[in-house]
Amino acid sequence: KLKVQLADLQELRDEYLTRIDSLLTENQKLQAEKQQLTGTVESLSKNLETTVSTASALKAEYLKVTAYKRKSNGTYTVASLAKRTHKLDVCFDILENKIARPGDKTVYLKITEPGGKPIGNKGTGSGTFKTSSGEEMMYAASNTINYTGERQNVCLNFEEQQDKMFPTGTYLIEIFIDGNPAGNTSY
């Protein structure tokens, strides 16, 4: 009777060992699939994040630059010559973007003079900012706006020091919103 029970127990043991082996094999297969799926999800998540950040970047359009000369009484009139220009006004529209989150956005105006040097004066509000790619750039003027998601008109201006005039030539005007390039024109 004991020998029969021992044989039954050995048979059960062998059956359980077979089941354990198959469960271990199945477990390894499931862990490999989990790692593969985790990698796929992370990759898709990064792609989606990149796509959303690209789509939510605000764009500026219809850049209009106006040059002004300062009169002796402190008022401004439109100037047509660079040597008489004291102030540049840059107005543009920020386009509607349903993906971008509404809220405060910092708008930077970068002006590059004909020699390739960025214009700015830290004493009058200019400074530097980091672009979305991590590059540090000098801006001539900045302003924080409350973006609502709808098209809105923004104007920024840069006034040169009294003793320094703008050199003659073509200027590159660039707009950055929260470090992302939004639009540019030449003047």
Side-chain angles (χ1 to χ4, degrees):
K1 189 174 176 182
L2 285 174
K3 284 186 180 182
V4 169
Q5 282 182 346
L6 181 63
D8 285 345
L9 288 175
Q10 287 176 341
E11 191 176 308
L12 276 175
R13 180 198 67 193
D14 292 343
E15 186 178 319
Y16 287 146
L17 286 175
T18 305
R19 282 187 188 174
I20 289 172
D21 284 344
S22 68
L23 288 174
L24 287 173
T25 305
E26 188 68 26
N27 189 19
Q28 287 176 344
K29 191 187 303 181
L30 288 172
Q31 285 180 351
E33 286 178 17
K34 178 186 169 192
Q35 284 180 340
Q36 181 182 9
L37 289 173
T38 301
T40 303
V41 167
E42 286 176 2
S43 173
L44 289 173
S45 176
K46 285 180 184 175
N47 287 344
L48 179 62
E49 189 177 307
T50 302
T51 302
V52 168
S53 72
T54 301
S56 66
L58 299 176
K59 298 295 177 196
E61 198 170 65
Y62 308 118
L63 278 78
K64 181 183 176 199
V65 181
T66 309
Y68 292 98
K69 112 180 174 177
R70 185 176 33 253
K71 290 181 163 184
S72 59
N73 64 3
T75 60
Y76 291 93
T77 60
V78 175
S80 57
L81 298 175
K83 66 182 180 178
R84 293 191 181 139
T85 299
H86 292 96
K87 178 180 174 183
L88 290 177
D89 275 354
V90 180
C91 293
F92 53 92
D93 287 343
I94 297 177
L95 300 179
E96 175 183 8
N97 189 329
K98 298 287 186 193
I99 297 171
R101 289 188 178 141
D104 288 345
K105 306 286 183 192
T106 305
V107 181
Y108 299 101
L109 169 64
K110 180 182 178 199
I111 303 172
T112 307
E113 64 182 27
K117 178 183 169 202
I119 292 177
N121 181 353
K122 291 191 179 190
T124 60
S126 297
T128 59
F129 70 98
K130 283 194 185 252
T131 64
S132 55
S133 62
E135 182 181 354
E136 192 157 326
M137 290 190 176
M138 182 166 199
Y139 64 86
S142 70
N143 192 11
T144 301
I145 61 162
N146 185 9
Y147 181 69
T148 61
E150 302 295 321
R151 175 186 291 264
Q152 59 192 96
N153 188 270
V154 177
C155 289
L156 295 171
N157 63 60
F158 175 74
E159 188 171 348
E160 192 58 274
Q161 298 172 1
Q162 293 208 19
D163 59 341
K164 183 181 177 193
M165 301 296 176
F166 287 91
T168 304
T170 303
Y171 289 78
L172 175 63
I173 312 293
E174 296 174 277
I175 304 297
F176 290 84
I177 301 175
D178 285 343
N180 295 309
N184 63 57
T185 189
S186 56
Y187 179 73

